[in-house]
Structures are given as structure tokens and as C-alpha cells.
Amino acid sequence: MSAVVFARHAMTPAERLRDAAWVAFVGLVLGIPMVGLTTVDAGGRLGVETRFGLLAAVVAAVFGGRLLLRWAIDQARNRKLERERASTATAADRASGALKLVNFLGWVALGTAITLPILFSDNRYVVDTATTVLIYVMLGWGLNVVVGLAGLLDLGYVAFYAVGAYSYALLSTQFGWSFWEALPVSGALAASFGILLGYPILRLRGDYLAIVTLGFGEIIRIILVNWTEFSGGPNGISSIPRPSFFGLDFTRSPAEGEQSFAGFFGLEFSPMHRLIFLYYLILVLALLTHAFVSRLRKLPVGRAWEALREDEIACQAMGMNTTHIKLSAFAIGAMLGGFGGVFFAARQGFISPESFVFTESAIILAIVVLGGMGSQMGVVLAATLLVLIPEFGRGLAEYRMLLFGLAMVLIMVWRPGGLLAHREPTLRLKPLQQSAPAKEAAR
Amino acid sequence: MNTPATTTLLSVRQLTMRFGGLTAIDDLSLEVPAGKITGIIGPNGAGKTTLFNCLTGFYKPTTGSLRLNHPRHGEIRLETLPSHRVARDAQVVRTFQNIRLFPKMTVLENLIVAQHNVLQRASKFSIAGLFNLPGYRRAEAESIARAATWLRRLGLEQLADHAAGELPYGIQRRIEIARALCVDPLLLCLDEPAAGLNPRESAELNDLLLYLSGELGLSILLIEHDMSVVMRVSDHIGVISYGRKIAEGTPEQVKNDPQVIKAYLGEDDDEDDSEQRTHAVAGGANP
Ligand SMILES: Nc1ncnc2c1ncn2[C@@H]1O[C@H](COP(=O)(O)OP(=O)(O)O)[C@@H](O)[C@H]1O
Ligand SMILES: [Mg+2]
């Protein structure tokens, strides 16, 4: 047994040949019916023809491919081992390296996000896609509180997104509320729904929690489909007012006595103005979300969420009320999802239950998991990837989702902990070495 | 805080805990004096951990009562409280036989989480915390200072910023004790703290326990298999077997109690074996 285990680390050439021969044999066995034999139409009757030449080629390819694969794996392993041996870096060095990388990525992402609409000011497609990325980033950060920090697997997050979107849609179309008036109220409503969902499932964990939250998401969607008088049913709600820029609308011909954005600034009307405004709006909302969540993480609540994820029983033994901690995670996560929903409704101008299906929950969850549970920067990377991959795959038509799945599998094989699995402590007794003089000076 | 030697901190009265047909604790009564170390010993499966679980609110006893004589709040019936209130309000704090740290968090964070209630109050529903107001900043600095004090006392200072779950077993045991101390316990309940420690670490644990009870006047309830620890540090020992208390007294008395020797041997053991085991129990105090 141990011989096999050893052999897996670095095979001798003979072992590699034997391994490849074995795999080629399996290929041959499978290949005979699949490749070696084929049916032909022989004058109205079905005949069997052999294709041994092709079969031989396939088996040879399998043999060569396997040989190459094993060799590549061994090379990669050796290099990794060497690197590990050679690295005299302490854990602190590595931690500060990871921190630097994350910070660097953060500044690059922020710079890109701010300049993007300036560079692509007449490219509707780019600005639209970037807005979608930011919505997912914001939702990812919201769900990150529940799943990444508190460790509560929530498969129905889209429900809070829907609550936010419908709250704004109804408040604005029925009562004439503006975007900025409706935003906090919708967030509060979503948070209440978070608590509402949280209560019955306080005792559930893991799979059971996932199933119930999944059900909750579906219940909200089904209510929206069926309660026609309230939500417009499957037809949804249309002509939702768009947010204005401090009272200035983005219209070609403003209503009597009002001014439009273009008119006020003396610009020529362009439909891009509104798109760019919406883009910056979600950027600001997302950045506020980021600042809020990052700060919460360093506060007692945030540490309590992480402690809850690590060990609920130990939390109780430390005198922590886990009920409050769970509910606060659900409420904050739901509120952020609700804000995302308000923006979504305002951007689309039209919403229907179809926008809030389980797939959305799954994508947001995938963003959190791929990003590296609890990692804020990871969410940005994962959201960008998960929105862009299907976009780039448009040319591939029906293979698009296949590409999407493949990318997810590859990421999880390559980085099982997520793209950025590094966890930065919320506080340190001793500041990191590199930054020590700076911190000392700042005191 | 000097309490007279006679004060009873906790009295367990006729405690019974049944799981279906199994009686894990059977009509157990026990007094835990304040400011002393009380050892609880007994063979595997005797019900020691179950006693801790009843005491700290993780199990609801079938019958019986657990009365804590709290210096500020008066008598507290522990069996009526949920586990987090036992730790927070009654200040009875425990460790676990199978260590339960927050593995991905650093050692320092583990100790800060233990001060959650104090910090949460200072953060005023996170509002004061979000804006980093002076009141919250002060509370946070105090909590770090308190954690640092315990880390220094337990020789963990160098490891403060390491993930707790990546450290060796013996160190994790120490972290768990440091974390429990950060909750500000009145009664510290340790479930086999010496399990898995090497002799040197065991000796250090002895010193620590004597320091906590001798210098700080902390009351400690100690479940332990390692006789070298329990016999040396305990002021008083209770012996449990099959959920019943079979003996009680000073280490010396307990060591020589025929009932105890029998319980540790099993009744069917033959002469030779029992002689050997007697030595094991009696000689346990000498390393
Ligand atoms: N939650 C439980 N459900 C059923 N039986 C339990 C439970 N907890 C403990 N027991 C049983 O109670 C008895 C005492 O266990 P325990 O208190 O862990 O013993 P120990 O003295 O070794 O710590 C054992 O027989 C154990 O199987
Ligand atoms: Mg036990």
C-alpha cells in the first residue's frame, strides 16, 4: 500500500510506462465497441465494419497522453516540493505577502471600476455588463456575511433580493416614493424578512438549513407569481421610475417645469448618461457595502459570526447568545440583498418573478464559494469571472453553460479553498514585520 | 477576594440524568467549595462529562438541582439557564474534553471572542463600533490587554497571531484554558485538561492550576484522568462510578478507599492484576 502511495509522488520511467500501458488497455477495451466497430448501411441492411486503424490511433493517443499527463503531474509536484523546501519564508511573511496581493488587487479593481465608464463612455454593452458585475459583487458581499462569515448555508438568498426589488417597485409605482426614500425602507423590509426566515431555522444546521432556505426562496417567488393583485403576478411590475441625479431626470424631453440632466449641464442628450449614472450609483452602493461589511468583521458581531462558523457549542460555552448572532447575520445579509434588489428594479424599470429564480441564488452562492468563503476581494474576482465567462461564451451558443461549468470545476480543482482563501486576522497583537515601523510611527 | 474556606460555591443535589434507558448520572450530590480545586475522577463512561454538560446548561438534568452561590446575584439555579447564560450570568465557564477552539481564528482572536459580551455592550449595537468611538476603542484596548496578560502568563505570547487550529495539541489545550479565563469565570470547569499532554506540560498545568486557585482565589472543578495532576493539585476529590458518587475526601483518603480501588479495577479482576492496579492508583501521585 505504501509503495503505491510513494509511487504517486514521483514515478520512475518504468512505472510511468506500465501505468500508461494499463490506461491504454482500458482505452482499447472501451474503444473496441465505441471506435473499432461501426455500423454501416449495406444496401438496406445493417452491417458492421471494423476501423482498427482508427482504434490503434486512439489507443496510441491515450497511451501518449497518459504518459505526458503523469510526467507533467510529477514535474509540477517536484517543483512545488522544491519551492516549499526552498522557501524560508515564515508564516508572517507569507501572510503579509497575501495581504499585499489582496490590497494590490483591490486598488487595481477600484481604479478600473472608476475609469471604466470614462474609457467606454459610448459602449453601451461594456457599461451594462460592468453594472451587472457590480450588482453581483454587492449581492456576493451581502451573502458573504451569512455564508462566508457566519457559516450558515443559505440557498434562498434571492428571496431578499426579490423583497428589495418589489418593495421599491411597489413603493414607487403605488405611492410615488423616490429611489432614495425607498432605499432604506426596502432594506429594512428585507432585513425583517431575514429575521422572519432566521427564527424558524435557528436550530438547523448544514444540509437542513440549506433545504429550508431553498424552500423559503421558492415560497417568496411563488407568492409573487400567484398573488396577482399585489405583485402583478407573472406579468410583474413595469414602468418603475428610474433614479434621478439630484432631481434631474435622464430624459430627452423633460416634463413641464422640470429639467433634464442633459439640459441642466448643457449637454447633448445621450441615453448613455443614464447608464453611466446607474453604473456609478451601484459602484457607490457596492463600496459602501464593502466598507460596512469590512468594518463589521472587525467588530464583536463580526468576530462572533466567524466564531459561530467555527464552533457553535464553543460560542455558547463562552456566554454568547447564538440566537442573536445568527439573526444578526441573516438580517444584515438580507438588508444588503434588499439594497441590491432596489437597485436592480430601478435599473431595469421592470421586474417579474422570473428574475428571482433559484439559479440566481446558486450563482450568488457560487460567487461566494469560488471567491473563497469570507474573502471580500475573492467575491470581486469570482463575480467578474462568473458574469464574464458566459458573456465571452456567447459565440459558443449552447456550449456556453458547459464552458461555465468547466471553469467552475477547474477553479475548484486548482484552488479548493476559493480564489483568495487567505484570511486576514481582525486584529493582531504584533503588527506585521514589514509594516511595523509605519504602524509604530502612526501611534 | 478572600473567601472563608468553608463557603460552598456550588451544591449539586440529587442530580439524575437519564438518556432513554441509560442512567448516566444517578442521584449524585456534591459540594464544591469556593476558592479551591475540586477534582472529579472516575472510570471512563462514569458520567463526569455528563455532569459538566448538566452544570453548563448543555443538558437539562432529569431531576435534581444545581445551586450556585453567586457573590453578587445570590443563589442561581444553573439547571434553569441556557448554556450561554450559565457562562455569561453565572460565570461558570468550561473547557471541553475534545478541544473546541475556533480553529481558523488566531489565538488572540479566540481570547477576544471570549470577551464578546463586554465588547458587544461597549460597541452599543455596533454603532459605537462602526464609528470607532472612544468608548469602544477603550473597551477594545482593554480586552486586548487582558488577553495579552493571559497569553503571557501561559507562555503563548509568541503564538498570538497564529491560527489556533494549526498549533500542536498541548498548546491548544492551554489556549482553551486561556480563553475560558478571558470569560472572567467564578467557577472554572476543566474537562481532562491534561489529556494528551507530555509530563513536562502536565507539570506546567499543575503550576498554573495552583496559581489560579492559590494566588487568584479562583474556584476550579477538575475532571482528570492523569493522577499525577489530580492528586497533587486537588484540595478535595469526588469519585464517580456508573453515575454514582462512591467516595469523597482529600486525595489521601480517596487514594486508600477500597471502593475507589475496586471501581478502578472492575469487580471480576483476579488477585495479581488487582495488586498491580492498586499500585497504579496509589502510586499515581509520584511521577
Ligand atoms: N447525549 C448522550 N446521549 C446518550 N448517552 C450519553 C450522552 N452523553 C453521554 N452519554 C452516556 O453517558 C455515559 C457517561 O458518559 P460521560 O459523561 O461522557 O463519561 P465520562 O465520565 O467518561 O466523561 C456514557 O455511557 C455515555 O455513553
Ligand atoms: Mg469525559
Side-chain angles (χ1 to χ4, degrees):
Chain A
M1 194 59 219
S2 67
V4 176
V5 174
F6 269 109
R8 298 221 153 182
H9 263 277
M11 286 184 161
T12 63
E15 273 172 330
R16 246 180 248 146
L17 279 175
R18 208 177 319 133
D19 172 71
W22 173 240
V23 173
F25 174 70
V26 174
L28 177 70
V29 171
L30 291 176
I32 289 172
M34 284 163 67
V35 182
L37 303 175
T38 184
T39 52
V40 287
D41 182 11
R45 281 174 48 241
L46 209 56
V48 177
E49 235 174 50
T50 55
R51 293 191 295 190
F52 288 134
L54 183 62
L55 180 62
V58 166
V59 171
V62 168
F63 182 80
R66 177 69 184 182
L67 213 54
L68 205 68
L69 181 70
R70 280 282 12 148
W71 179 79
I73 289 177
D74 282 353
Q75 288 295 313
R77 266 211 194 114
N78 282 344
R79 227 174 301 139
K80 197 171 158 199
L81 275 179
E82 255 164 45
R83 229 184 301 134
E84 269 165 24
R85 252 184 241 128
S87 81
T88 47
T90 61
D93 283 342
R94 240 175 293 136
S96 82
L99 181 62
K100 269 191 198 146
L101 174 72
V102 170
N103 281 343
F104 173 73
L105 281 176
W107 288 113
V108 169
L110 183 64
T112 315
I114 291 176
T115 49
L116 185 123
I118 302 170
L119 298 177
F120 294 92
S121 63
D122 49 2
N123 191 332
R124 188 189 176 113
Y125 174 70
V126 168
V127 176
D128 249 347
T129 311
T131 308
T132 308
V133 169
L134 283 176
I135 293 182
Y136 279 109
V137 167
M138 180 155 172
L139 292 173
W141 279 339
L143 186 62
N144 210 3
V145 169
V146 185
V147 179
L149 295 181
L152 303 162
L153 185 52
D154 183 351
L155 290 183
Y157 191 63
V158 77
F160 309 121
Y161 188 42
V163 168
Y166 272 87
S167 303
Y168 173 60
L170 290 169
L171 287 172
S172 62
T173 55
Q174 305 294 319
F175 304 104
W177 288 36
S178 77
F179 178 83
W180 295 106
E181 287 163 342
L183 187 68
V185 174
S186 307
L189 263 173
S192 329
F193 269 81
I195 293 175
L196 199 71
L197 166 67
Y199 254 109
I201 59 178
L202 280 171
R203 288 158 180 280
L204 303 181
R205 254 178 255 181
D207 312 352
Y208 301 99
L209 182 71
I211 300 280
V212 176
T213 51
L214 175 73
F216 182 78
E218 283 301 284
I219 288 171
I220 296 278
R221 191 179 64 81
I222 289 168
I223 289 176
L224 291 176
V225 170
N226 289 300
W227 195 357
T228 317
E229 308 89 83
F230 174 73
S231 65
N235 296 330
I237 301 174
S238 50
S239 14
I240 301 167
R242 309 305 184 85
S244 60
F245 182 77
F246 298 104
L248 300 171
D249 283 333
F250 293 89
T251 43
R252 187 184 293 277
S253 41
E256 207 58 41
E258 300 213 353
Q259 255 191 326
S260 74
F261 177 82
F264 184 82
F265 288 99
L267 302 170
E268 199 177 320
F269 174 78
S270 154
M272 282 306 291
H273 290 162
R274 179 166 66 216
L275 293 182
I276 292 175
F277 168 67
L278 284 172
Y279 173 85
Y280 277 119
L281 180 60
I282 184 71
L283 181 61
V284 168
L285 286 178
L287 289 177
L288 284 176
T289 303
H290 174 65
F292 180 64
V293 174
S294 308
R295 181 68 195 147
L296 279 186
R297 193 180 155 251
K298 300 194 172 181
L299 292 184
V301 248
R303 272 192 293 268
W305 289 337
E306 289 199 80
L308 183 75
R309 175 193 69 201
E310 299 290 288
D311 195 323
E312 185 172 347
I313 295 202
C315 283
Q316 289 167 351
M318 297 294 103
M320 294 151 79
N321 187 337
T322 49
T323 303
H324 289 175
I325 296 169
K326 280 185 195 177
L327 289 181
S328 66
F330 272 119
I332 300 279
M335 181 182 77
L336 296 173
F339 288 153
V342 173
F343 177 82
F344 176 75
R347 174 208 190 193
Q348 302 295 104
F350 163 75
I351 52 169
S352 76
E354 260 174 58
S355 306
F356 307 104
V357 289
F358 168 70
T359 324
E360 289 296 313
S361 291
I363 290 178
I364 304 165
L365 185 66
I367 286 173
V368 172
V369 175
L370 285 185
M373 302 265 267
S375 161
Q376 297 281 94
M377 197 55 219
V379 164
V380 176
L381 288 184
T384 311
L385 274 179
L386 289 201
V387 174
L388 292 191
I389 289 172
E391 289 299 327
F392 284 132
R394 269 187 199 286
L396 298 173
E398 64 263 40
Y399 296 111
R400 195 166 142 216
M401 290 323 275
L402 203 64
L403 179 74
F404 184 80
L406 185 70
M408 295 236 292
V409 170
L410 282 181
I411 293 174
M412 285 332 268
V413 169
W414 173 52
R415 313 218 72 174
L419 291 170
L420 289 176
H422 170 71
R423 177 186 179 277
E424 180 58 22
T426 57
L427 37 68
R428 288 177 181 278
L429 196 58
K430 283 173 225 112
L432 285 174
Q433 263 147 24
Q434 278 82 346
S435 54
K439 285 243 171 105
E440 232 40 64
R443 259 174 211 171
Chain B
M1 55 169 280
N2 240 340
T3 31
T6 46
T7 322
T8 299
L9 179 65
L10 170 77
S11 64
V12 177
R13 295 196 198 155
Q14 300 177 326
L15 187 73
T16 299
M17 180 78 220
R18 286 198 197 93
F19 300 106
L22 179 99
T23 306
I25 296 185
D26 190 2
D27 198 32
L28 181 87
S29 295
L30 190 77
E31 306 262 293
V32 177
K36 306 247 166 196
I37 300 182
T38 308
I40 307 270
I41 60 171
N44 258 329
K48 306 180 296 290
T49 300
T50 305
L51 172 65
F52 268 25
N53 282 333
C54 291
L55 196 60
T56 50
F58 286 96
Y59 292 163
K60 283 272 156 283
T62 315
T63 58
S65 66
L66 298 151
R67 294 155 201 263
L68 183 85
N69 191 0
H70 196 282
R72 281 195 311 279
H73 309 314
E75 188 184 83
I76 300 180
R77 299 284 292 261
L78 295 180
E79 76 275 15
T80 62
L81 298 182
S83 50
H84 73 273
R85 289 198 53 201
V86 171
R88 191 186 69 192
D89 302 339
Q91 294 174 275
V92 174
V93 185
R94 68 175 295 182
T95 63
F96 293 87
Q97 187 173 346
N98 43 349
I99 306 174
R100 283 181 174 274
L101 292 173
F102 306 120
K104 283 200 192 126
M105 305 177 84
T106 65
V107 176
L108 178 65
E109 284 177 311
N110 267 269
L111 269 60
I112 300 291
V113 168
Q115 304 172 55
H116 175 78
N117 288 313
V118 177
L119 281 171
Q120 180 70 347
R121 225 170 296 129
S123 87
K124 307 252 170 9
F125 298 103
S126 302
I127 307 291
L130 275 176
F131 298 106
N132 212 6
L133 299 182
Y136 174 72
R137 266 210 307 262
R138 204 172 326 117
E140 195 186 55
E142 275 166 20
S143 73
I144 294 175
R146 178 198 279 247
T149 309
W150 282 121
L151 288 177
R152 210 168 307 128
R153 180 62 191 81
L154 275 81
L156 295 166
E157 216 180 2
Q158 291 305 314
L159 301 172
D161 298 323
H162 283 254
E166 288 168 11
L167 296 169
Y169 191 81
I171 291 181
Q172 291 197 16
R173 283 245 175 252
R174 252 190 288 165
I175 297 170
E176 209 191 9
I177 295 176
R179 188 181 65 174
L181 288 167
C182 282
V183 187
D184 189 22
L186 189 65
L187 176 63
L188 180 64
C189 304
L190 303 173
D191 197 344
E192 304 203 13
L197 299 192
N198 62 36
R200 194 175 51 81
E201 288 171 328
S202 276
E204 284 171 6
L205 179 68
N206 275 357
D207 292 344
L208 175 70
L209 296 180
L210 291 172
Y211 165 79
L212 292 175
S213 110
E215 308 279 313
L216 305 184
L218 192 64
S219 314
I220 298 176
L221 196 54
L222 173 71
I223 293 181
E224 195 40 80
H225 257 125
D226 186 338
M227 293 295 167
S228 72
V229 173
V230 93
M231 291 294 169
R232 194 167 281 184
V233 303
S234 302
D235 297 300
H236 190 81
I237 293 179
V239 188
I240 307 183
S241 176
Y242 294 109
R244 291 177 156 278
K245 186 173 78 183
I246 55 167
E248 190 174 3
T250 62
E252 211 47 43
Q253 287 167 341
V254 164
K255 221 183 305 186
N256 301 317
D257 190 310
Q259 285 264 44
V260 177
I261 295 166
K262 205 165 106 187
Y264 266 86
L265 296 173
E267 314 197 8
D268 302 326
D269 278 325
D270 60 349
E271 277 291 299
D272 289 4
D273 199 22
S274 62
E275 196 132 301
Q276 257 178 343
R277 292 292 213 72
T278 311
H279 281 296
V281 174
N286 313 323

